[in-house]
Amino acid sequence: MADPDLDFQTGESGASATYPMQCSALRKNGFVVLKGRPCKIVEMSTSKTGKHGHAKVNLVGIDIFTNKKYEDMCPSTHNMDVPAIKRLDYQLVNITDGYMSLMADNGDVREDLRVPESDVGKDIEAKFDAQEDFLVTVLSAMGEECAVGTKVMSGNK
């Protein structure tokens, strides 16, 4: 009856990491996949149509995880992938060996996220060393996650 080799332990929703959007519908400060990386659009310009062609859209984006700059050009009528981005705030509980212990709103604790090696990481470590209560904002897209900011906790004391 049932195949014993099938394993259904993980509860993935089956949703795609990206969804298509027409190039002309993209906007500055929006998100797009450039060269296989999730990027935030920082510059966008449209060239006029040629004698036989389409209007082309020139996109410049910055990778949301590595801050590298990517450029791409595509006809305005074509579709481009837009990453499905999730932004969550966690309370920082502890830092052990460069990994953060983060507590979600429902009380679940995760300890699989590294302190980033950027200014955000330095900010997180400085606030933690000063024993401040704060939230860490985690951005996740296309199977990657990274801490991208901190927020002061409100309504605690």
Side-chain angles (χ1 to χ4, degrees):
M1 274 209 315
D3 191 349
D5 295 333
L6 294 177
D7 182 23
F8 293 109
Q9 289 301 312
T10 57
E12 288 287 321
S13 66
S16 174
T18 62
Y19 57 92
M21 185 182 275
Q22 192 167 338
C23 207
S24 58
L26 296 169
R27 295 287 170 254
K28 194 174 172 181
N29 293 331
F31 296 98
V32 69
V33 177
L34 297 176
K35 311 258 191 281
R37 302 288 305 155
C39 297
K40 183 174 187 163
I41 300 169
V42 291
E43 211 176 292
M44 197 174 162
S45 60
T46 308
S47 64
K48 287 217 157 87
T49 57
K51 191 173 178 184
H52 301 292
H54 299 279
K56 290 211 169 28
V57 177
N58 188 33
L59 294 166
V60 178
I62 294 187
D63 191 313
I64 58 177
F65 297 122
T66 64
N67 287 332
K68 279 190 187 158
K69 194 179 205 178
Y70 291 98
E71 287 188 48
D72 202 3
M73 205 166 215
C74 95
S76 62
T77 54
H78 286 204
N79 281 348
M80 288 201 75
D81 284 334
V82 176
I85 292 179
K86 206 162 72 175
R87 180 185 293 261
L88 288 170
D89 289 331
Y90 294 96
Q91 182 179 350
L92 183 70
V93 180
N94 197 3
I95 297 177
T96 315
D97 299 329
Y99 285 90
M100 298 179 285
S101 295
L102 299 168
M103 187 168 65
D105 292 341
N106 60 5
D108 289 347
V109 175
R110 54 179 296 185
E111 298 174 334
D112 59 344
L113 213 55
R114 230 184 159 68
V115 177
E117 292 167 15
S118 60
D119 294 341
V120 174
K122 292 181 184 88
D123 188 31
I124 289 170
E125 286 176 341
K127 285 184 175 182
F128 179 72
D129 291 340
Q131 297 185 343
E132 291 180 38
D133 279 340
F134 65 98
L135 297 172
V136 176
T137 304
V138 175
L139 213 60
S140 59
M142 298 172 66
E144 283 185 63
E145 288 184 305
C146 184
V148 293
T150 61
K151 277 190 213 167
V152 178
M153 284 178 69
S154 55
N156 247 26
K157 295 177 180 173

